[in-house]
Coordinates of all heavy atoms in Angstrom, one line a residue:
M1 N 131.1 147.5 30.7 CA 131.4 146.6 31.9 C 130.6 147.1 33.1 O 130.5 148.3 33.4 CB 132.9 146.7 32.1 CG 133.3 145.8 33.3 SD 135.0 145.6 33.5 CE 135.4 144.4 32.3
Q2 N 129.9 146.2 33.8 CA 129.2 146.5 35.0 C 130.0 146.2 36.2 O 130.8 145.3 36.2 CB 127.9 145.6 35.0 CG 126.9 145.8 33.9 CD 126.2 147.1 34.2 OE1 126.6 148.2 33.9 NE2 125.0 146.9 34.7
F3 N 129.8 147.1 37.2 CA 130.5 146.9 38.5 C 129.5 146.8 39.6 O 128.5 147.5 39.6 CB 131.5 148.1 38.7 CG 132.5 148.2 37.6 CD1 132.4 149.2 36.6 CD2 133.6 147.4 37.6 CE1 133.3 149.3 35.6 CE2 134.6 147.5 36.6 CZ 134.4 148.5 35.6
T4 N 129.8 145.9 40.5 CA 128.9 145.8 41.7 C 129.7 146.4 42.9 O 130.9 146.1 43.1 CB 128.7 144.3 42.0 OG1 128.1 143.7 40.8 CG2 127.8 144.1 43.2
V5 N 129.0 147.3 43.6 CA 129.6 147.9 44.8 C 129.0 147.4 46.0 O 127.8 147.3 46.2 CB 129.4 149.5 44.7 CG1 129.9 150.1 46.0 CG2 130.0 150.1 43.5
T6 N 129.9 146.9 46.9 CA 129.5 146.4 48.2 C 130.4 147.0 49.3 O 131.5 147.4 49.1 CB 129.7 144.9 48.3 OG1 131.0 144.5 48.0 CG2 128.7 144.2 47.3
E7 N 129.8 147.1 50.5 CA 130.6 147.6 51.6 C 131.4 146.5 52.3 O 130.9 145.3 52.4 CB 129.6 148.2 52.7 CG 130.3 148.9 53.8 CD 129.4 149.6 54.8 OE1 128.2 149.4 54.7 OE2 130.0 150.3 55.6
A8 N 132.6 146.8 52.6 CA 133.5 145.9 53.4 C 133.8 146.6 54.7 O 134.9 147.2 54.9 CB 134.8 145.6 52.6
P9 N 132.9 146.5 55.7 CA 133.0 147.3 56.9 C 134.2 147.0 57.7 O 134.8 147.9 58.4 CB 131.7 147.0 57.7 CG 131.0 145.9 57.0 CD 131.7 145.7 55.7
T10 N 134.8 145.8 57.7 CA 136.0 145.5 58.5 C 137.2 146.2 57.9 O 138.2 146.5 58.6 CB 136.3 144.0 58.5 OG1 136.4 143.5 57.2 CG2 135.1 143.3 59.2
R11 N 137.1 146.6 56.6 CA 138.2 147.4 56.0 C 137.8 148.9 55.9 O 138.6 149.6 55.4 CB 138.4 146.9 54.6 CG 139.0 145.5 54.5 CD 139.3 145.1 53.1 NE 139.9 143.8 53.0 CZ 139.7 143.0 52.0 NH1 138.9 143.4 51.0 NH2 140.2 141.8 52.0
E12 N 136.7 149.2 56.4 CA 136.2 150.6 56.3 C 136.3 151.1 54.9 O 136.8 152.2 54.6 CB 136.9 151.5 57.2 CG 136.7 151.2 58.7 CD 137.3 152.2 59.7 OE1 138.5 152.6 59.5 OE2 136.6 152.7 60.6
R13 N 135.7 150.4 54.0 CA 135.6 150.8 52.6 C 134.5 150.2 51.8 O 133.9 149.2 52.2 CB 137.0 150.5 51.9 CG 137.3 149.1 51.6 CD 138.7 148.9 51.0 NE 138.9 147.7 50.3 CZ 140.0 147.4 49.7 NH1 141.0 148.2 49.6 NH2 140.1 146.2 49.1
F14 N 134.2 150.8 50.7 CA 133.3 150.2 49.7 C 134.1 149.8 48.5 O 135.1 150.5 48.1 CB 132.3 151.3 49.2 CG 131.2 151.6 50.2 CD1 131.4 152.6 51.2 CD2 130.0 151.0 50.1 CE1 130.5 152.9 52.1 CE2 129.0 151.3 51.1 CZ 129.2 152.2 52.1
E15 N 133.8 148.6 48.0 CA 134.6 148.0 46.9 C 133.7 147.9 45.6 O 132.6 147.4 45.7 CB 135.1 146.7 47.3 CG 136.0 146.7 48.5 CD 136.4 145.3 49.0 OE1 135.7 144.3 48.7 OE2 137.5 145.3 49.7
A16 N 134.3 148.2 44.5 CA 133.6 148.0 43.2 C 134.3 146.7 42.6 O 135.6 146.7 42.5 CB 133.8 149.2 42.3
R17 N 133.5 145.8 42.2 CA 134.1 144.5 41.6 C 133.5 144.3 40.2 O 132.3 144.7 40.0 CB 133.7 143.3 42.5 CG 134.4 143.4 43.9 CD 134.1 142.2 44.7 NE 134.8 142.3 46.0 CZ 136.0 141.8 46.2 NH1 136.6 141.1 45.3 NH2 136.5 141.9 47.4
D18 N 134.3 143.7 39.4 CA 133.8 143.4 38.0 C 133.1 142.1 38.0 O 132.9 141.5 39.1 CB 135.0 143.4 37.0 CG 136.0 142.2 37.3 OD1 135.7 141.3 38.1 OD2 137.1 142.3 36.6
E19 N 132.6 141.7 36.9 CA 131.8 140.5 36.8 C 132.5 139.2 37.3 O 131.9 138.3 37.8 CB 131.4 140.2 35.3 CG 130.4 141.2 34.7 CD 131.1 142.3 33.9 OE1 132.4 142.5 34.1 OE2 130.5 143.0 33.2
A20 N 133.8 139.2 37.2 CA 134.6 138.1 37.7 C 134.9 138.1 39.2 O 135.5 137.2 39.8 CB 135.9 138.0 36.9
G21 N 134.5 139.3 39.8 CA 134.7 139.4 41.3 C 136.0 140.1 41.6 O 136.3 140.3 42.8
A22 N 136.8 140.6 40.6 CA 138.0 141.3 40.9 C 137.7 142.7 41.4 O 136.8 143.3 40.9 CB 138.9 141.3 39.7
V23 N 138.5 143.2 42.4 CA 138.3 144.5 42.9 C 138.8 145.5 41.8 O 140.0 145.5 41.4 CB 139.0 144.8 44.2 CG1 138.9 146.2 44.7 CG2 138.5 143.8 45.3
A24 N 137.9 146.4 41.3 CA 138.3 147.4 40.3 C 138.6 148.7 40.9 O 139.3 149.5 40.4 CB 137.2 147.5 39.3
G25 N 138.1 148.9 42.2 CA 138.4 150.2 42.9 C 137.7 150.2 44.2 O 136.9 149.3 44.5
F26 N 138.0 151.2 45.0 CA 137.4 151.3 46.3 C 137.4 152.7 46.8 O 138.1 153.6 46.3 CB 138.1 150.4 47.3 CG 139.6 150.7 47.6 CD1 140.0 151.7 48.5 CD2 140.5 150.0 46.8 CE1 141.3 152.0 48.6 CE2 141.9 150.3 47.0 CZ 142.3 151.3 47.9
V27 N 136.5 153.0 47.8 CA 136.4 154.2 48.5 C 136.6 153.9 50.0 O 135.8 153.1 50.5 CB 135.1 155.0 48.3 CG1 135.0 156.2 49.2 CG2 134.9 155.4 46.8
T28 N 137.5 154.6 50.7 CA 137.7 154.4 52.1 C 136.9 155.4 52.9 O 136.6 156.5 52.3 CB 139.2 154.5 52.5 OG1 139.7 155.7 52.1 CG2 140.0 153.3 51.9
Y29 N 136.5 155.1 54.1 CA 135.7 156.0 54.9 C 136.0 155.9 56.4 O 136.6 154.9 56.8 CB 134.2 155.8 54.6 CG 133.7 154.4 55.1 CD1 133.4 154.2 56.4 CD2 133.6 153.4 54.2 CE1 132.9 152.9 56.8 CE2 133.1 152.1 54.5 CZ 132.7 151.9 55.9 OH 132.3 150.7 56.3
Q30 N 135.5 156.9 57.1 CA 135.5 156.9 58.6 C 134.1 157.4 59.0 O 133.6 158.4 58.5 CB 136.6 157.8 59.1 CG 138.0 157.3 58.8 CD 139.0 158.3 59.3 OE1 138.8 159.5 59.5 NE2 140.3 157.8 59.4
V31 N 133.5 156.6 60.0 CA 132.2 157.0 60.5 C 132.3 157.5 61.9 O 133.0 156.9 62.7 CB 131.2 155.8 60.4 CG1 129.9 156.2 61.0 CG2 131.0 155.3 59.0
T32 N 131.7 158.6 62.2 CA 131.6 159.1 63.6 C 130.1 159.5 63.7 O 129.6 160.5 63.2 CB 132.5 160.4 63.8 OG1 133.8 160.0 63.5 CG2 132.4 160.8 65.2
G33 N 129.4 158.7 64.5 CA 128.0 159.0 64.7 C 127.2 159.0 63.4 O 127.3 158.0 62.6
S34 N 126.6 160.1 63.1 CA 125.8 160.2 61.8 C 126.6 160.9 60.7 O 126.0 161.3 59.7 CB 124.5 160.9 62.1 OG 124.7 162.2 62.4
I35 N 127.9 161.0 60.9 CA 128.7 161.6 59.9 C 129.7 160.6 59.3 O 130.3 159.8 60.0 CB 129.5 162.8 60.5 CG1 128.6 163.9 61.0 CG2 130.5 163.4 59.4 CD1 129.2 165.0 61.7
I36 N 129.7 160.6 57.9 CA 130.7 159.7 57.3 C 131.6 160.6 56.4 O 131.2 161.4 55.7 CB 130.0 158.6 56.4 CG1 131.0 157.6 55.9 CG2 129.2 159.2 55.3 CD1 130.4 156.3 55.4
A37 N 132.9 160.3 56.6 CA 133.9 161.0 55.9 C 134.5 160.1 54.8 O 135.0 159.0 55.2 CB 135.0 161.6 56.8
Y38 N 134.4 160.4 53.6 CA 135.0 159.6 52.5 C 136.4 160.1 52.3 O 136.6 161.3 51.9 CB 134.1 159.6 51.2 CG 132.8 159.0 51.4 CD1 131.6 159.7 51.3 CD2 132.7 157.6 51.8 CE1 130.4 159.0 51.5 CE2 131.5 157.0 52.0 CZ 130.3 157.7 51.8 OH 129.1 157.1 52.0
T39 N 137.4 159.3 52.6 CA 138.8 159.8 52.6 C 139.6 159.6 51.4 O 140.5 160.3 51.1 CB 139.5 159.1 53.9 OG1 139.4 157.7 53.7 CG2 138.8 159.6 55.2
H40 N 139.3 158.5 50.6 CA 140.2 158.2 49.5 C 139.4 157.3 48.5 O 138.7 156.4 48.9 CB 141.4 157.5 50.0 CG 142.4 157.1 48.9 ND1 143.1 158.1 48.2 CD2 142.8 156.0 48.4 CE1 143.9 157.5 47.3 NE2 143.7 156.2 47.4
T41 N 139.6 157.6 47.2 CA 139.0 156.8 46.1 C 140.2 156.3 45.3 O 141.1 157.1 44.9 CB 138.1 157.6 45.2 OG1 137.0 158.1 46.0 CG2 137.5 156.7 44.1
K42 N 140.2 155.0 45.0 CA 141.3 154.4 44.3 C 140.7 153.5 43.2 O 139.9 152.7 43.5 CB 142.2 153.6 45.2 CG 143.3 152.8 44.5 CD 144.4 153.6 44.0 CE 145.5 152.7 43.5 NZ 146.4 153.4 42.5
T43 N 141.1 153.7 42.0 CA 140.7 152.8 40.9 C 142.0 152.0 40.4 O 143.0 152.6 40.2 CB 140.2 153.6 39.7 OG1 139.0 154.3 40.1 CG2 139.8 152.7 38.5
D44 N 141.8 150.7 40.3 CA 142.9 149.9 39.7 C 143.3 150.4 38.3 O 142.4 150.7 37.5 CB 142.5 148.5 39.7 CG 143.6 147.6 39.2 OD1 144.0 147.7 38.1 OD2 144.1 146.7 40.0
P45 N 144.5 150.6 38.0 CA 144.9 151.2 36.7 C 144.3 150.4 35.5 O 144.0 151.0 34.5 CB 146.5 151.1 36.7 CG 146.8 151.1 38.2 CD 145.7 150.4 38.9
A46 N 144.1 149.1 35.7 CA 143.6 148.3 34.6 C 142.1 148.7 34.3 O 141.6 148.4 33.2 CB 143.6 146.8 35.0
Y47 N 141.4 149.4 35.2 CA 140.0 149.8 35.0 C 139.8 151.3 34.8 O 138.7 151.7 34.7 CB 139.2 149.3 36.2 CG 139.2 147.8 36.4 CD1 140.1 147.2 37.2 CD2 138.2 147.1 35.8 CE1 140.1 145.8 37.3 CE2 138.2 145.7 35.9 CZ 139.1 145.1 36.7 OH 139.1 143.7 36.8
E48 N 140.9 152.0 34.7 CA 140.8 153.5 34.6 C 140.0 153.8 33.3 O 140.2 153.2 32.3 CB 142.1 154.2 34.6 CG 142.7 154.2 36.0 CD 144.0 154.9 36.1 OE1 144.5 155.5 35.1 OE2 144.6 154.9 37.2
G49 N 139.2 154.9 33.4 CA 138.4 155.3 32.2 C 137.2 154.5 31.9 O 136.5 154.7 30.9
R50 N 136.8 153.6 32.8 CA 135.6 152.7 32.6 C 134.5 153.1 33.5 O 133.5 152.3 33.6 CB 136.0 151.3 32.8 CG 137.0 150.8 31.8 CD 137.3 149.4 31.9 NE 138.4 148.9 31.0 CZ 138.8 147.7 30.9 NH1 138.2 146.7 31.6 NH2 139.8 147.4 30.2
G51 N 134.6 154.2 34.3 CA 133.5 154.6 35.1 C 133.4 154.0 36.5 O 132.4 154.1 37.2
V52 N 134.6 153.4 36.9 CA 134.6 152.8 38.3 C 134.4 153.9 39.3 O 133.7 153.8 40.3 CB 135.9 152.1 38.5 CG1 136.0 151.5 39.9 CG2 136.0 150.9 37.5
G53 N 135.2 155.0 39.2 CA 135.1 156.1 40.2 C 133.7 156.6 40.3 O 133.2 156.8 41.4
S54 N 133.1 156.9 39.2 CA 131.7 157.4 39.2 C 130.7 156.4 39.8 O 129.8 156.8 40.5 CB 131.3 157.9 37.8 OG 132.0 158.9 37.4
T55 N 130.9 155.2 39.5 CA 130.0 154.1 40.0 C 130.2 154.1 41.5 O 129.2 154.0 42.3 CB 130.3 152.8 39.4 OG1 130.1 152.8 38.0 CG2 129.5 151.7 40.0
L56 N 131.4 154.1 42.0 CA 131.6 154.1 43.5 C 131.1 155.4 44.1 O 130.4 155.3 45.2 CB 133.1 154.1 43.7 CG 133.8 152.7 43.7 CD1 135.3 152.8 43.5 CD2 133.4 151.9 44.9
A57 N 131.3 156.6 43.5 CA 130.8 157.8 44.1 C 129.3 157.8 44.3 O 128.8 158.1 45.3 CB 131.2 159.0 43.2
R58 N 128.6 157.4 43.2 CA 127.1 157.3 43.3 C 126.7 156.3 44.4 O 125.8 156.6 45.2 CB 126.5 157.0 42.0 CG 125.0 157.1 42.0 CD 124.3 157.0 40.6 NE 124.8 158.0 39.7 CZ 124.5 159.3 39.7 NH1 123.6 159.7 40.6 NH2 125.0 160.2 38.8
A59 N 127.3 155.2 44.4 CA 127.0 154.1 45.4 C 127.2 154.6 46.9 O 126.3 154.4 47.7 CB 127.7 152.9 45.1
V60 N 128.3 155.3 47.1 CA 128.6 155.7 48.5 C 127.7 156.8 48.9 O 127.2 156.9 50.1 CB 130.1 156.0 48.8 CG1 131.0 154.8 48.5 CG2 130.5 157.2 48.0
M61 N 127.3 157.7 48.0 CA 126.4 158.8 48.3 C 125.0 158.3 48.5 O 124.3 158.7 49.4 CB 126.5 159.9 47.2 CG 127.8 160.6 47.2 SD 128.4 161.4 48.7 CE 127.1 162.6 48.9
D62 N 124.6 157.3 47.7 CA 123.3 156.8 47.9 C 123.2 156.0 49.2 O 122.2 156.0 49.9 CB 122.9 155.8 46.7 CG 122.6 156.6 45.5 OD1 122.3 157.8 45.5 OD2 122.6 155.9 44.4
D63 N 124.3 155.3 49.6 CA 124.3 154.6 50.9 C 124.2 155.6 52.0 O 123.5 155.4 53.0 CB 125.6 153.8 51.0 CG 125.7 153.0 52.2 OD1 125.0 151.9 52.3 OD2 126.4 153.4 53.2
A64 N 125.0 156.7 52.0 CA 124.9 157.7 53.0 C 123.5 158.3 53.2 O 123.0 158.4 54.3 CB 125.9 158.8 52.8
R65 N 122.9 158.5 52.0 CA 121.5 159.1 52.1 C 120.6 158.1 52.7 O 119.7 158.4 53.5 CB 121.1 159.4 50.6 CG 119.7 160.0 50.6 CD 119.3 160.4 49.2 NE 119.9 161.6 48.8 CZ 120.1 161.9 47.5 NH1 119.7 161.1 46.5 NH2 120.6 163.1 47.2
A66 N 120.7 156.8 52.3 CA 119.8 155.8 52.8 C 120.0 155.6 54.3 O 119.0 155.3 55.1 CB 120.0 154.5 52.1
K67 N 121.2 155.8 54.8 CA 121.5 155.6 56.3 C 121.3 157.0 57.0 O 121.7 157.0 58.2 CB 122.9 155.0 56.4 CG 122.9 153.6 56.0 CD 124.3 153.1 56.1 CE 124.4 151.6 55.6 NZ 125.7 151.1 55.5
R68 N 120.9 158.0 56.3 CA 120.7 159.3 56.9 C 121.9 159.9 57.5 O 121.9 160.5 58.6 CB 119.5 159.3 57.9 CG 118.2 158.9 57.4 CD 117.1 159.0 58.4 NE 115.8 158.5 57.9 CZ 115.0 159.3 57.2 NH1 115.3 160.5 56.9 NH2 113.8 158.7 56.8
R69 N 123.0 159.7 56.8 CA 124.3 160.3 57.3 C 124.7 161.6 56.5 O 124.3 161.7 55.3 CB 125.4 159.3 57.0 CG 125.4 158.1 57.9 CD 126.5 157.1 57.6 NE 126.5 156.0 58.6 CZ 127.0 154.8 58.4 NH1 127.5 154.5 57.2 NH2 127.0 153.9 59.3
M70 N 125.4 162.4 57.2 CA 125.9 163.6 56.5 C 127.3 163.2 56.0 O 128.1 162.4 56.7 CB 126.0 164.8 57.5 CG 124.7 165.3 57.9 SD 123.6 165.9 56.6 CE 124.5 167.3 56.1
V71 N 127.7 163.7 54.9 CA 129.0 163.4 54.2 C 130.0 164.5 54.3 O 129.7 165.6 53.9 CB 128.7 163.0 52.7 CG1 130.0 162.8 52.0 CG2 127.8 161.8 52.6
V72 N 131.2 164.1 54.6 CA 132.4 165.0 54.6 C 133.2 164.5 53.4 O 133.9 163.4 53.6 CB 133.1 165.1 55.9 CG1 134.4 166.0 55.7 CG2 132.2 165.5 57.0
P73 N 133.3 165.1 52.3 CA 134.1 164.6 51.2 C 135.5 165.1 51.2 O 135.9 166.0 50.6 CB 133.4 165.2 49.9 CG 132.8 166.5 50.5 CD 132.5 166.3 51.9
I74 N 136.3 164.3 52.0 CA 137.8 164.6 52.1 C 138.5 164.3 50.8 O 139.4 165.0 50.3 CB 138.4 163.9 53.3 CG1 137.7 164.4 54.6 CG2 139.9 164.0 53.3 CD1 138.1 163.6 55.8
C75 N 138.1 163.2 50.2 CA 138.7 162.7 48.9 C 138.5 163.7 47.8 O 137.4 164.1 47.5 CB 138.1 161.4 48.5 SG 138.4 160.9 46.9
P76 N 139.6 164.2 47.2 CA 139.5 165.2 46.1 C 138.6 164.7 44.9 O 137.9 165.5 44.3 CB 140.9 165.4 45.6 CG 141.7 165.0 46.8 CD 141.0 163.9 47.5
F77 N 138.7 163.4 44.6 CA 137.9 162.9 43.5 C 136.4 163.0 43.8 O 135.6 163.5 43.0 CB 138.2 161.4 43.2 CG 137.3 160.8 42.2 CD1 137.5 161.0 40.8 CD2 136.2 160.1 42.6 CE1 136.6 160.5 39.9 CE2 135.3 159.6 41.7 CZ 135.5 159.8 40.3
L78 N 136.0 162.6 45.0 CA 134.6 162.7 45.4 C 134.1 164.1 45.5 O 133.0 164.4 45.0 CB 134.3 161.9 46.7 CG 132.9 161.8 47.1 CD1 132.0 161.1 46.1 CD2 132.7 161.2 48.5
A79 N 135.0 165.0 46.0 CA 134.6 166.4 46.1 C 134.3 167.0 44.8 O 133.3 167.7 44.6 CB 135.7 167.2 46.9
E80 N 135.2 166.7 43.8 CA 135.0 167.1 42.4 C 133.8 166.5 41.8 O 133.0 167.2 41.1 CB 136.2 166.8 41.6 CG 136.2 167.4 40.2 CD 136.2 168.9 40.1 OE1 136.7 169.5 41.0 OE2 135.6 169.4 39.1
W81 N 133.5 165.2 42.0 CA 132.3 164.6 41.5 C 131.1 165.2 42.0 O 130.1 165.4 41.2 CB 132.4 163.1 41.8 CG 131.3 162.2 41.2 CD1 131.3 161.6 40.0 CD2 130.1 161.9 41.8 NE1 130.2 160.9 39.8 CE2 129.4 161.1 40.9 CE3 129.4 162.2 43.0 CZ2 128.1 160.6 41.2 CZ3 128.2 161.7 43.3 CH2 127.5 160.9 42.4
L82 N 131.1 165.6 43.2 CA 129.9 166.2 43.8 C 129.6 167.6 43.2 O 128.4 168.0 43.2 CB 130.1 166.3 45.4 CG 129.9 165.0 46.1 CD1 130.4 165.2 47.6 CD2 128.5 164.6 46.1
V83 N 130.6 168.3 42.7 CA 130.3 169.5 42.0 C 129.4 169.3 40.9 O 128.5 170.1 40.6 CB 131.6 170.2 41.6 CG1 131.4 171.4 40.7 CG2 132.4 170.6 42.8
K84 N 129.5 168.2 40.2 CA 128.7 167.9 39.0 C 127.4 167.1 39.4 O 126.6 166.8 38.5 CB 129.5 167.0 38.1 CG 130.8 167.6 37.6 CD 131.6 166.7 36.8 CE 133.0 167.2 36.6 NZ 134.0 166.2 36.3
H85 N 127.2 166.9 40.6 CA 126.0 166.1 41.1 C 125.3 166.8 42.3 O 125.4 166.4 43.4 CB 126.4 164.7 41.4 CG 126.8 163.9 40.2 ND1 128.1 163.9 39.8 CD2 126.1 163.2 39.3 CE1 128.2 163.2 38.7 NE2 127.0 162.8 38.4
P86 N 124.7 168.0 42.0 CA 124.1 168.8 43.1 C 122.9 168.1 43.8 O 122.5 168.6 44.8 CB 123.6 170.1 42.3 CG 123.5 169.6 40.9 CD 124.5 168.6 40.7
E87 N 122.4 167.0 43.2 CA 121.3 166.3 43.9 C 121.7 165.8 45.3 O 120.9 165.4 46.1 CB 120.8 165.2 43.0 CG 121.8 164.0 42.7 CD 122.6 164.2 41.5 OE1 122.9 165.4 41.1 OE2 123.1 163.2 40.9
Y88 N 123.0 165.7 45.6 CA 123.5 165.2 46.9 C 123.8 166.4 47.8 O 124.2 166.1 49.0 CB 124.7 164.3 46.7 CG 124.4 163.1 46.0 CD1 124.7 162.9 44.6 CD2 123.7 162.0 46.6 CE1 124.4 161.7 44.0 CE2 123.4 160.9 45.9 CZ 123.7 160.7 44.6 OH 123.4 159.5 44.0
E89 N 123.7 167.6 47.4 CA 124.1 168.8 48.2 C 123.5 168.8 49.6 O 124.2 169.2 50.5 CB 123.8 170.1 47.4 CG 124.5 171.3 48.0 CD 126.0 171.2 48.0 OE1 126.6 170.6 47.1 OE2 126.6 171.8 48.9
G90 N 122.3 168.3 49.7 CA 121.6 168.4 51.0 C 122.2 167.5 52.1 O 121.9 167.7 53.3
I91 N 123.1 166.6 51.7 CA 123.7 165.7 52.7 C 125.2 165.9 52.8 O 125.9 165.2 53.5 CB 123.4 164.2 52.5 CG1 124.0 163.7 51.2 CG2 121.9 163.9 52.6 CD1 123.9 162.2 51.0
V92 N 125.7 167.0 52.1 CA 127.2 167.2 52.2 C 127.5 168.3 53.2 O 126.8 169.4 53.1 CB 127.7 167.6 50.8 CG1 129.2 168.0 50.8 CG2 127.4 166.5 49.8
V93 N 128.5 168.1 54.0 CA 128.9 169.1 55.0 C 129.9 170.0 54.3 O 130.9 169.5 53.8 CB 129.5 168.4 56.2 CG1 130.1 169.5 57.2 CG2 128.5 167.5 56.9
R94 N 129.6 171.3 54.3 CA 130.5 172.2 53.7 C 131.0 173.2 54.8 O 130.2 173.6 55.6 CB 129.8 173.1 52.6 CG 129.3 172.2 51.5 CD 130.4 171.9 50.5 NE 129.8 171.3 49.3 CZ 130.5 170.4 48.6 NH1 131.7 170.1 48.9 NH2 129.9 169.8 47.5
S95 N 132.2 173.6 54.7 CA 132.8 174.6 55.6 C 132.2 175.9 55.3 O 132.1 176.3 54.1 CB 134.3 174.6 55.6 OG 134.8 175.6 56.4
T96 N 131.8 176.7 56.3 CA 131.3 178.0 56.1 C 132.4 179.1 56.5 O 132.1 180.2 56.4 CB 130.0 178.3 56.9 OG1 130.3 178.0 58.2 CG2 128.9 177.4 56.3
R97 N 133.5 178.6 57.0 CA 134.6 179.5 57.4 C 135.2 180.2 56.2 O 135.5 179.6 55.2 CB 135.6 178.7 58.1 CG 135.7 179.0 59.6 CD 136.9 178.3 60.2 NE 136.3 177.4 61.2 CZ 137.0 176.6 61.9 NH1 138.3 176.6 61.8 NH2 136.4 175.8 62.8
K98 N 135.5 181.4 56.4 CA 136.2 182.2 55.3 C 137.6 182.6 55.9 O 137.7 183.1 57.0 CB 135.4 183.4 54.9 CG 134.1 183.0 54.3 CD 133.7 183.9 53.2 CE 132.3 183.7 52.7 NZ 131.9 182.6 52.0
V99 N 138.6 182.6 55.0 CA 139.9 183.0 55.4 C 140.0 184.5 55.2 O 139.6 185.0 54.1 CB 141.0 182.3 54.6 CG1 142.4 182.8 55.0 CG2 140.9 180.8 54.9
K100 N 140.4 185.3 56.2 CA 140.5 186.7 56.0 C 141.9 187.2 55.7 O 142.8 186.6 56.1 CB 140.0 187.4 57.3 CG 138.5 187.2 57.5 CD 138.1 187.9 58.7 CE 136.6 187.6 58.9 NZ 136.0 188.3 60.0

């Protein structure tokens, strides 16, 4: 199944839709200047296990790169996805603070 990802800026999210146009999942975000924080990823239960989350993750990271934004991955799903996709490391903001 193919999913199309588009931005819905009035909702501050990217949406993945199936061929019929139904929303299969979304990623919410907040933008401050050149920084975008991805806050939550949600996949509709009917689409779980079909790659919706990964499709969304790649789309939002490619969008951030194209717009020259730095990414703060607040969403646990996206943070975990990024561990497996080091090609985006250059645009990800990581904390350098250590707890003593």
Side-chain angles (χ1 to χ4, degrees):
M1 181 174 278
Q2 294 284 80
F3 299 100
T4 303
V5 178
T6 56
E7 186 174 9
T10 58
R11 292 186 180 145
E12 294 187 312
R13 70 185 199 174
F14 286 84
E15 299 173 339
R17 294 180 179 270
D18 67 10
E19 293 96 343
V23 175
F26 60 85
V27 173
T28 57
Y29 64 82
Q30 295 176 340
V31 176
T32 304
S34 63
I35 297 172
I36 187 163
Y38 293 119
T39 55
H40 183 67
T41 302
K42 173 77 174 154
T43 299
D44 184 293
Y47 295 92
E48 285 182 5
R50 297 186 188 182
V52 175
S54 293
T55 299
L56 280 162
R58 186 169 304 282
V60 301
M61 292 305 295
D62 287 345
D63 183 78
R65 182 182 280 157
K67 292 177 180 171
R68 299 184 184 275
R69 290 179 171 155
M70 294 301 292
V71 172
V72 178
I74 295 170
C75 167
F77 173 83
L78 185 61
E80 184 64 29
W81 185 88
L82 285 166
V83 169
K84 299 172 193 161
H85 295 87
E87 64 269 27
Y88 294 104
E89 193 61 32
I91 62 168
V92 177
V93 176
R94 300 278 186 209
S95 173
T96 56
R97 247 186 244 182
K98 300 216 190 287
V99 177
K100 294 182 181 182

